[in-house]
Amino acid sequence: VYNAISNGGNQKGQWRVLSKDEWTYLYSGRANAASLRTKATVEGVAGYIFFPDNWEQPEGISVGLDAGAFTTNTYSALRWNVLEAQGAVFLPAAGRRDGTTVIDVGSYGYYWSSTYSSGRNAYSFVFGGNVYTNVESYRNYGRSVRLAQEVK
């Protein structure tokens, strides 16, 4: 009984989904975590940006860190390419599916973790008005998946 979205064989370099503890670490467990995340809009798409631990703001690009609104930071594809080249990761506010209905597109992002909760539930990372790192959700709900790869 587990969420099957996990590291293929637990081998180094394989793609996988973050666990609930890794989502929590990414959002609030790192040193200076609040200065390594923000809401933003990239090419008209609202979402959330995480920066790597060693991130330095590139010259000529303003980043309002830990912003309360998606429109605080608005980037063209060209400016986003600069941020991404320095290790930034963008999570679109893609909404969620409940049955055949898709809701919250552009205002919330729901991302699965690989951590099983109980019964029919698994944990999700959710952002929108607030951010939640350990939301229990029915595993049959539609959530986005963000793959990660450990680079050694």
Side-chain angles (χ1 to χ4, degrees):
V1 180
Y2 61 92
N3 188 345
I5 303 169
S6 64
N7 179 338
N10 292 320
Q11 299 172 17
K12 291 181 184 177
Q14 296 294 314
W15 291 94
R16 63 184 181 81
V17 173
L18 298 178
S19 70
K20 76 177 180 83
D21 292 339
E22 288 171 320
W23 279 114
T24 299
Y25 173 79
L26 187 61
Y27 180 75
S28 60
R30 302 184 288 164
N32 303 317
S35 64
L36 297 172
R37 64 179 191 237
T38 194
K39 289 181 180 177
T41 299
V42 176
E43 278 294 299
V45 177
Y48 211 86
I49 298 176
F50 284 107
F51 300 100
D53 292 344
N54 62 351
W55 185 78
E56 293 183 22
Q57 188 164 307
E59 189 174 323
I61 298 180
S62 175
V63 177
L65 298 170
D66 205 16
F70 295 118
T71 55
T72 299
N73 300 294
T74 302
Y75 304 107
S76 64
L78 185 62
R79 289 193 176 267
W80 170 248
N81 288 338
V82 173
L83 295 174
E84 187 177 39
Q86 290 197 333
V89 173
F90 181 68
L91 303 174
R96 64 185 173 101
R97 181 187 50 77
D98 185 357
T100 59
T101 305
V102 177
I103 60 174
D104 295 333
V105 175
S107 49
Y108 284 89
Y110 300 83
Y111 287 80
W112 282 121
S113 81
S114 62
T115 307
Y116 166 78
S117 172
S118 62
R120 301 181 310 179
N121 296 336
Y123 289 99
S124 299
F125 170 76
V126 177
F127 64 86
N130 293 306
V131 177
Y132 305 96
T133 59
N134 294 312
V135 173
E136 287 190 56
S137 304
Y138 288 126
R139 291 185 290 161
N140 63 332
Y141 283 178
R143 304 282 188 262
S144 296
V145 175
R146 175 61 191 200
L147 297 177
Q149 181 182 39
E150 292 185 36
V151 180
K152 298 279 180 182

